[in-house]
Amino acid sequence: MDSEDDELPPTLVDVGEVENTKEEKPRKVPITIVTGYLGAGKTTLMNYILTEQHGKKIAVILNGEYVAADIEKTLTVNTGGEEVQEWLDVGNGCICCSVKDQGVNAIESLMEKKGAFDYILLETTGLADPGNIAPLFWVDEGLGSTIYLDGIVTLVDAKNILKSLDEPAQEELPTEGHEVHDGHSGPLMSTAHLQISHADVIVLNKSDLVNEQELQAVRERVEAINGLAKIHVTEQGKVPNLEGFLLDLHAYDSVGSLNISEKGHSHLDPTITTITLTTPVLTADQIPNLDAWLRSILWDSKLPSLESCTSEDNSSYEIHRLKAKLPLSNGEMKIVQGVRDIFEILDAPNSSSGNESEGKIVLIGKGLTGKAFQESFLATIKGL
């Protein structure tokens, strides 16, 4: 009887029961990169977050101190005011120098041990380049990671940032010297420039140490470098609420309106600027041409499809941040997100162009002014 029972066909199971037995899809946890030049107030801000009674379980990774020969990073978890410190082992190297799988897996392993967090904040060193760190957490959806990049926040010391931008440390100065633009002499690029150019949110901290005129000058200089970022003004790293400042940024979910105000401030900082291109409505079969154009300007720093391309057009330039909103003739909307040489072409949330008559591409980077980006884009899209 037992052997006969073993050969019987399996009992039918109700579909509802099967669905209930399936493992739930793990909730994705957002990670925000918090950067800022030396003395900007990152540690003060982190301490403020950890001691604030917000009721959220936030993991703060302090990526600045080397511990013994094996480099580990302190990770502090705050849950309703209770702090627990753990060591996050990322192997032989800091997070910004680790391979992607190593850095991401280290955090995911900790989450498995301690449970999922509501948010993760990664504080970088004062000299870190966020453009090197962001790709570590910009993980392809198909890889099934339980964390995702929510955005980059840069703290700015309102009292000293202009000095940092104009007079970088000696080791940061390029060997060829300084550029001169519209009578303004400045360094080719500093760490402060890099941190501002990559930001999705910029916090002008220590505003109580400057007067209104000085604060306005700082704001204009920052906007000249990065016209996309949201700007908040704070004192002593105290933010009125965490959402929108450091949390729930959703900087890579959508691109917003891309309405960059044309203030004509490119002369304020010749090193890094924000430029806007307008595009016609595209057809679906032009998307491969768009992809080819993006690969050329981001991977090769070359402007394709220019018959009269000059050495000036393809002279050295760097694109640090790219966002685009591109309507299609079929009524859909494509968005593009890019950091350095990594980019994605995505369907816009609730993808509908709303019969928009033109699109926008915003570029932030070094040496962008005076280049024929607009002409190159139009020629490539048309397949010329």
Side-chain angles (χ1 to χ4, degrees):
M1 290 293 291
D2 293 341
S3 59
E4 291 180 1
D5 289 342
D6 291 340
E7 295 178 0
L8 291 175
T11 304
L12 294 179
V13 179
D14 186 89
V15 174
E17 294 180 11
V18 173
E19 292 179 349
N20 291 335
T21 60
K22 289 183 179 180
E23 293 184 5
E24 292 185 7
K25 189 176 181 180
R27 180 174 63 90
K28 287 185 173 289
V29 179
I31 183 168
T32 298
I33 297 171
V34 181
T35 188
Y37 201 61
L38 299 169
K42 298 187 301 299
T43 301
T44 301
L45 176 62
M46 294 298 103
N47 289 334
Y48 173 77
I49 293 169
L50 290 172
T51 56
E52 185 72 3
Q53 296 297 322
H54 44 64
K56 297 178 175 65
K57 189 175 183 180
I58 301 176
V60 177
I61 303 171
L62 306 176
N63 191 35
E65 297 299 328
Y66 284 53
V67 182
D70 292 331
I71 298 175
E72 300 172 318
K73 298 295 170 280
T74 57
L75 183 144
T76 305
V77 181
N78 176 291
T79 309
E82 179 184 353
E83 296 182 18
V84 178
Q85 189 173 83
E86 294 285 335
W87 290 106
L88 177 63
D89 184 5
V90 295
N92 187 20
C94 62
I95 279 189
C96 62
C97 301
S98 301
V99 296
K100 175 182 285 189
D101 289 344
Q102 192 175 22
V104 173
N105 288 342
I107 296 176
E108 290 184 335
S109 296
L110 187 73
M111 290 170 59
E112 290 179 5
K113 184 173 70 172
K114 288 294 180 182
F117 310 119
D118 295 321
Y119 302 94
I120 302 172
L121 300 179
L122 171 62
E123 177 194 347
T124 73
T125 67
L127 296 176
D129 177 357
N132 291 335
I133 302 173
L136 304 183
F137 304 102
W138 192 342
V139 181
D140 187 271
E141 181 71 21
L143 296 180
S145 174
T146 54
I147 61 177
Y148 70 92
L149 181 61
D150 193 39
I152 300 173
V153 176
T154 297
L155 265 70
V156 169
D157 179 353
K159 179 68 175 177
N160 297 302
I161 188 60
L162 296 184
K163 182 178 180 181
S164 298
L165 291 170
D166 289 331
E167 301 176 10
Q170 187 62 38
E171 60 269 17
E172 294 181 273
L173 290 175
T175 55
E176 61 266 32
H178 293 69
E179 285 182 338
V180 177
H181 177 82
D182 291 345
H184 176 96
S185 177
L188 287 178
M189 190 154 50
S190 70
T191 299
H193 281 99
L194 285 170
Q195 293 173 344
I196 292 173
S197 69
H198 287 85
D200 300 297
V201 172
I202 295 174
V203 178
L204 299 185
N205 195 26
K206 303 185 180 181
S207 61
D208 52 317
L209 302 182
V210 296
N211 58 40
E212 289 186 12
Q213 291 77 16
E214 292 170 327
L215 183 61
Q216 182 61 27
V218 169
R219 187 175 189 122
E220 290 179 355
R221 181 72 174 273
V222 168
E223 288 176 340
I225 296 171
N226 185 337
L228 277 176
K230 296 179 181 178
I231 296 180
H232 302 292
V233 180
T234 63
E235 298 179 8
Q236 300 177 352
K238 294 181 179 180
V239 297
N241 56 286
L242 294 176
E243 285 77 8
F245 273 76
L246 298 173
L247 312 177
D248 291 326
L249 302 180
H250 301 290
Y252 295 84
D253 296 351
S254 64
V255 296
S257 64
L258 298 185
N259 288 329
I260 309 301
S261 56
E262 301 294 341
K263 297 184 173 67
H265 286 158
S266 61
H267 67 281
L268 289 179
D269 200 301
T271 309
I272 295 181
T273 53
T274 301
I275 65 172
T276 303
L277 314 178
T278 57
T279 73
V281 174
L282 306 181
T283 61
D285 58 8
Q286 288 178 319
I287 298 302
N289 294 351
L290 166 67
D291 182 78
W293 185 77
L294 292 170
R295 284 187 278 113
S296 182
I297 67 169
L298 295 178
W299 295 359
D300 305 323
S301 293
K302 299 292 184 183
L303 295 178
S305 303
L306 286 182
E307 292 183 3
S308 59
C309 182
T310 66
S311 59
E312 176 63 23
D313 286 320
N314 279 333
S315 61
S316 177
Y317 68 83
E318 297 177 7
I319 296 175
H320 298 164
R321 197 75 169 86
L322 181 151
K323 288 191 177 187
K325 177 183 285 188
L326 306 168
L328 303 185
S329 57
N330 61 8
E332 296 179 356
M333 177 75 74
K334 294 289 185 180
I335 64 173
V336 182
Q337 294 276 9
V339 175
R340 296 284 178 85
D341 58 353
I342 296 179
F343 71 91
E344 288 183 304
I345 303 174
L346 307 167
D347 293 324
N350 303 319
S351 185
S352 173
S353 66
N355 296 320
E356 295 187 35
S357 60
E358 66 177 20
K360 288 184 179 180
I361 301 175
V362 178
L363 307 175
I364 301 174
K366 167 190 168 186
L368 304 184
T369 56
K371 304 290 193 302
F373 283 99
Q374 185 86 48
E375 294 83 352
S376 171
F377 175 81
L378 294 175
T380 304
I381 288 299
K382 295 175 182 177
L384 300 179

